[in-house]
Amino acid sequence: MHRDGKSASMAAYTLRVLKMALQQGVRWQMLPRNVADAVKAPKVERKEMQVRDKQQGLTFLQATEPHPWHAAFYLALMTGMRRGELAELKWKDLDLARVRLTVKNNLVETIGECIPGKNGWAKPPCPR
């Protein structure tokens, strides 16, 4: 995977999935042992999160004001909501009387077939 340009975190994730699959083979007595247990996962370097300051946030909001998704950008910056949470907001999630917004759903991007309720961001919706 390293030679193919994959990241260390992708290789570590792939190894975890492979170990789980082989362990199931051991439980079903289809394999004598899990050979992947002998493989050491690559070291994943954690990068420190870059946090923007108030002025950078204001500059970003001013620059995106003409953009159709400006309200979503504003909401994300002010609440910390994630992309999938923003994408699944409905008007019924907003309670103006109590000044409350409730996150009830999260849009999850899938690869391959369409799963109703989990269609990918910026992709055509699943047939209902």
Side-chain angles (χ1 to χ4, degrees):
M1 290 184 80
H2 179 71
R3 282 191 302 264
D4 290 341
K6 304 296 182 200
S7 68
S9 60
M10 175 60 84
Y13 173 76
T14 303
L15 180 60
R16 279 195 309 273
V17 172
L18 181 60
K19 283 183 177 185
M20 288 188 302
L22 292 173
Q23 187 58 43
Q24 187 62 49
V26 171
R27 279 194 290 273
W28 288 340
Q29 298 180 351
M30 296 173 74
L31 299 171
R33 69 184 188 94
N34 186 345
V35 294
D37 283 338
V39 179
K40 185 176 178 186
K43 182 170 174 63
V44 178
E45 292 184 31
R46 302 282 181 206
K47 294 180 183 175
E48 188 173 333
M49 186 185 310
Q50 298 292 320
V51 180
R52 307 295 181 228
D53 63 25
K54 183 178 178 179
Q55 187 55 50
Q56 290 171 319
L58 290 172
T59 302
F60 172 77
L61 289 176
Q62 288 170 349
T64 60
E65 202 163 331
H67 196 282
W69 289 359
H70 175 75
F73 298 149
Y74 182 89
L75 199 54
L77 279 173
M78 296 301 136
T79 65
M81 290 173 64
R82 296 183 174 118
R83 182 175 69 171
E85 295 167 338
L86 290 164
E88 277 294 302
L89 284 177
K90 308 281 187 274
W91 282 109
K92 64 183 177 181
D93 299 332
L94 180 63
D95 184 349
L96 291 173
R98 292 168 42 189
V99 191
R100 181 175 293 176
L101 178 64
T102 305
V103 177
K104 296 179 182 175
N105 295 303
N106 183 30
L107 188 72
V108 178
E109 184 166 358
T110 59
I111 299 172
E113 71 180 71
C114 193
I115 302 170
K118 294 189 176 186
N119 52 306
W121 178 269
K123 293 182 183 175
C126 296
R128 304 263 181 212

